[in-house]
Amino acid sequence: MAETLNFTAAARLSGVSQPSLTRAIRRLEDELGGPLIHRDGKNSRLTGLGLDVEAEFRRMAAAMKSVRDHSENWAMGRHRVLDVAIAPTIGPKGFAAFFESALAEVPSIEIRLHSLQANEDTSEVLSGKYHACILPRETRQERKLDVHPLFRERFVLGCSANHPLAARETVRGENLLEFPFVDRLKCEFRDQIFDHFARRGALMQPRFRSDRDDWVQRVVADGHSICILPERSAIAHGLVTRPIDGFVLEREVVMATVSGSTAPVEIRKIAHLAAGYAWS
């Protein structure tokens, strides 16, 4: 009905009689507590509730199709889709080449990448939402997970290629106070970064904050602002990185999968390839 906005055409496409379709829509309206369709002769149209409900039903239909596809692929041993979530603070540098090599090694799979949300962690792997997560190593240990180390990366200064600090091989901490600082709100080590410089009398005063790394990097690359970010995360054109004298902070990026034979053989193969990949 949402597609045709015509009861006769909708009934024909649905393979039911028009009275049956009308009664079914009436029952749905009674259950939901409001009209779904403005009935105005030939000018029928969805109400606001109808538009919202139709969007939700489309999402449900897509989810059901995905469930059926996964179950059929599992039963028949056919093409499998692997859902991999990546923490938003991890840049794509190096991953394109890895995934290309992984797809060549395991031609029966498709990799679907997701952004790991702020309230999500490796628990989403245990719940089955994702087959794997790529994220900074968590402090808590989970025996039901296999955690595969990928690489370590330093936190460094980010600035534009034309910035005065870009001419130096190493930047001193006090030099950072001379320029506007951009705060990466989703940085997992944000508190440690501020504490490090505060203990040395360098109080960072952010002039711009964002939870989107692409905005942070663009602001820095296009102006005189600076930021601190993982060295592999710098992807904006015109953004360069420099080490900071006396500032030693790094993180380990890992891939987490369900441990043991309960994990699909394909994701175990991908994790094995990732652990042995030459990320440097």
Side-chain angles (χ1 to χ4, degrees), residues 29-59:
E29 289 177 323
D30 291 341
E31 182 177 346
L32 297 176
L36 300 174
I37 299 170
H38 285 301
R39 294 163 174 82
D40 188 13
K42 293 183 179 180
N43 296 317
S44 298
R45 60 192 185 279
L46 297 185
T47 64
L49 175 61
L51 290 169
D52 289 343
V53 168
E54 191 244 352
E56 290 298 325
F57 280 173
R58 285 192 183 278
R59 278 192 281 269

Side-chain angles (χ1 to χ4, degrees), residues 65-196:
K65 182 180 184 302
S66 178
V67 169
R68 286 194 294 269
D69 290 345
H70 280 303
S71 62
E72 290 174 3
N73 289 339
W74 178 277
M76 302 299 294
R78 295 197 302 260
H79 177 85
R80 166 168 293 200
V81 177
L82 298 179
D83 292 291
V84 179
I86 302 181
T89 60
I90 295 177
K93 188 179 296 183
F95 281 97
F98 164 70
F99 283 126
E100 185 175 352
S101 65
L103 290 171
E105 286 279 340
V106 194
S108 63
I109 65 166
E110 171 189 334
I111 296 175
R112 185 161 51 194
L113 297 181
H114 305 264
S115 180
L116 196 66
Q117 301 303 306
N119 60 339
E120 294 181 331
D121 55 20
T122 49
S123 301
E124 310 305 328
V125 175
L126 294 174
S127 73
K129 183 175 182 178
Y130 305 125
H131 292 101
C133 284
I134 297 174
L135 72 173
R137 182 185 288 273
E138 298 176 341
T139 54
R140 64 185 178 87
Q141 301 294 319
E142 174 52 67
R143 61 182 179 82
K144 296 180 181 180
L145 290 175
D146 282 338
V147 178
H148 312 272
L150 303 185
F151 55 82
R152 302 186 72 87
E153 60 180 343
R154 302 173 299 167
F155 280 79
V156 293
L157 170 77
C159 64
S160 75
N162 300 321
H163 197 281
L165 296 180
R168 308 185 183 191
E169 291 187 5
T170 302
V171 177
R172 298 173 60 87
E174 54 266 29
N175 297 144
L176 306 185
L177 300 179
E178 302 172 18
F179 304 95
F181 182 71
V182 181
D183 188 6
R184 298 172 56 249
L185 292 175
K186 282 193 174 179
C187 177
E188 302 90 348
F189 296 91
R190 183 169 172 265
D191 291 340
Q192 292 96 312
I193 292 172
F194 279 96
D195 288 346
H196 170 88

